[in-house]
Amino acid sequence: MALADLPGSTTGPDGAVVRVLSYNIRSLRDDREALVRVIRACAPDVLCVQEAPRFFRWRKAAAWLARETGLVYTTGGATATGPMILTSLRAHVERTEDILLPRVPGLHRRGFATAVLRLGAGHRDPGGVRLGVVSCHLSLAAAERHDQAGMLLDRVAALGVPYAVAAGDINDRPDGRAFRRIAERLRDGWAAEPWGSEVTFSADDPRRRIDAVFATEGVEIIGCGVPAGLPGVSDADLRAATDHLPVLAALRLPCAAPDRSGPSA
């Protein structure tokens, strides 16, 4: 499937097509202009960021990224210890919550950025399709990562919406315990509908798939993977933007949604 075959964002009487992009941006320490070109070319409705700036003047950096990519800061950053969510103006934000996970002595504290969005609805229109979003960056330590995978599933379930996505840097391969724990309850976008390329790390020499977009049942995954042939973006841009490659998914959310609260660990 070529880039042009991945549908753009649409809203109709039968549902909505939403583009979700997951991207570890390494605290904007690399080529910022290349990063902006990549994100703009992907044209996401929802951008799940990992390693967002979280120290001195982090809000200013988050505002810069939102402004330059044509998106809006929604939640996360330092308040979630790195995960962040940006959205397009197409998404109406119902609520947000940043979650800090239990601290393990000697390890970096992790968190989730979460939001419930409504697509295809105006300020005076209560309709549209509701989508829960969790941006995550799991631990480098295997035991902690496995526990956090269960917490991620619990958080998706707690959103209480018909459809949800969890996207981020899993720090685990698809055959790893944490990745498999998530994929047993949520649909792995690449495994369901592979599009583009698969491996995400490192950007200079990609050999491992450790970044992913997962979706609950009822979400139609049209295509998911590392985009190639982005307009106005070179391979050099992808290598220079950060040390991970992005994962882009196109998802169809039917309006007639079943009443599901999501998975449980």
Side-chain angles (χ1 to χ4, degrees):
M1 182 185 288
L3 180 68
D5 296 327
L6 195 71
S9 307
T10 61
T11 302
D14 58 343
V17 173
V18 180
R19 282 191 172 202
V20 176
L21 181 66
S22 183
Y23 212 173
N24 183 319
I25 65 170
R26 197 157 70 158
S27 299
L28 295 176
R29 294 201 302 265
D30 300 291
D31 187 333
R32 292 188 176 195
E33 299 305 323
L35 180 72
V36 167
R37 286 193 291 273
V38 172
I39 294 172
R40 279 189 168 274
C42 289
D45 298 294
V46 180
L47 171 57
C48 291
V49 173
Q50 301 85 50
E51 292 194 38
R54 58 189 181 90
F55 295 114
F56 184 64
R57 293 183 176 175
W58 71 270
R59 294 184 186 277
K60 182 177 181 180
W64 177 89
L65 181 63
R67 181 178 66 251
E68 294 300 313
T69 56
L71 300 172
V72 176
Y73 170 81
T74 300
T75 195
T79 51
T81 69
M84 185 171 70
I85 298 173
L86 304 181
T87 55
S88 72
L89 291 175
R90 182 169 174 250
H92 173 71
V93 181
E94 285 194 0
R95 67 178 190 269
T96 64
E97 185 178 8
D98 296 328
I99 310 296
L100 293 178
L101 303 183
R103 182 188 298 276
V104 174
L107 297 178
H108 166 60
R109 192 170 195 179
R110 304 284 174 165
F112 301 143
T114 77
V116 173
L117 311 174
R118 191 179 291 272
L119 285 302
H123 293 293
R124 298 183 180 180
D125 179 9
V129 184
R130 298 174 75 213
L131 175 68
V133 181
V134 181
S135 178
C136 65
H137 186 183
L138 303 191
S139 176
L140 289 167
E144 184 186 31
R145 183 168 62 242
H146 185 260
D147 290 342
Q148 290 172 351
M151 297 174 200
L152 176 65
L153 294 169
D154 288 343
R155 183 50 49 183
V156 171
L159 293 173
V161 292
Y163 306 124
V165 294
D169 180 350
I170 309 304
N171 266 324
D172 205 11
R173 300 174 190 245
D175 59 354
R177 290 178 66 235
F179 199 113
R180 285 188 290 109
R181 185 173 189 179
I182 300 169
E184 285 171 358
R185 302 297 182 95
L186 301 176
R187 299 173 65 215
D188 173 8
W190 166 263
E193 292 294 336
W195 166 87
S197 58
E198 178 180 8
V199 290
T200 63
F201 187 81
S202 67
D204 284 332
D205 184 21
R207 294 175 181 269
R208 294 181 287 164
R209 181 162 78 97
I210 62 172
D211 304 84
V213 175
F214 298 93
T216 56
E217 290 295 330
V219 175
E220 180 186 348
I221 301 169
I222 301 170
C224 178
V226 176
L230 293 168
V233 174
S234 66
D235 289 343
D237 285 333
L238 287 166
R239 293 191 298 270
T242 177
D243 61 341
H244 286 243
L245 294 174
V247 180
L248 178 63
L251 311 172
R252 182 174 286 111
L253 312 176
C255 277
D259 185 14
R260 297 191 182 99
S261 60
S264 59

